[in-house]
Amino acid sequence: MTTAAVRTVELDQTTGTDRPASGAAGVAEGLPWVEDAGKIAPKDARELSKLFFDRLQVLEEGTHEYQYARNTLIEMNLSLVRFAAGRFRNRGSGEMEDIIQVGTIGLIKAIDRFDLSREVEFTSFAVPYIVGEIKRFFRDTSWAVHVPRRLQELRVEIAKAKEELAGTLDRDPTVKDLATHLKITEEEVLDGLIAANGYAAGSLDSPNEQSDDGPANGKARTVADTMGDTDPAMETVENLHALAPLIQELDDRERQIIEMRFGQEMTQSKIGEALGISQMHVSRLLARTLRKLRTGLCVEA
């Protein structure tokens, strides 16, 4: 054991147990005073952890002795967190410091739930807790767009299936291949693939990798440069499409007035002259017809 990290302990001549040297206030009887738990070698930490877990089970929660034993266990086993966090170093946009903090929460949960009577090594017990906490962190925070948890998990399954099938088929798997492999429907696979688009958001200012055009004026084209915009004429097309069946329901004179007023852009007086009626009569007929069309559009909506 590294002597620099553990202070000398006095042997209780009466009981034969180790007791902390003077100055180690708050240390439970039977436990050594650890100067810097973070410097304990992993092999030594495993042996010391057994001693600390044994004492932790009989100490009263909330006491200084209990806190010392628990905190020392946490510090001694932080190497497990760093080991597990290394697997996620290049995943998503999470900072390594954040990943370690989240993994430490998993370590603390493992310490609070560990029981020596299970005869299982603490490392084997703790790593799943640590990894699970880190995965939960990525699942809940890394998605640029929130999607249901079912689809988040399906995305992971599809990614694994893609990699496995690509090796066996020597090509990219189709939706049907993925559905057969995962024993789900093709619609579910498509849902998972669409949901995967919400994992990371791209910047509109990023270069457009799919564009074959060279730089314009010395500046590369961005994604925003190649994106279309809403055509203002589309609303007119939609309105005309919705109006067509309503206009067909009008009588001949009403359709004629609408055509002359809006199609030929004739004034009301000119329409009156063409139909042999007064301008006032044309105005009333036009207002009634437009009101009928508006009512029909509201009902359709």
Side-chain angles (χ1 to χ4, degrees), residues 199-242:
Y199 185 73
S203 172
L204 292 176
D205 295 326
S206 61
N208 181 28
E209 298 178 356
Q210 297 180 349
S211 176
D212 296 329
D213 300 335
N217 299 325
K219 183 180 179 181
R221 299 181 68 189
T222 64
V223 174
D225 294 330
T226 61
M227 290 184 65
D229 198 0
T230 303
D231 188 345
M234 281 301 299
E235 185 176 357
T236 303
V237 173
E238 291 175 355
N239 291 337
L240 291 174
H241 182 74

Side-chain angles (χ1 to χ4, degrees), residues 124-140:
S124 302
F125 181 82
V127 169
Y129 274 91
I130 298 170
V131 172
E133 203 68 31
I134 295 174
K135 286 183 176 180
R136 191 175 297 111
F137 165 74
F138 278 108
R139 183 190 65 202
D140 295 339

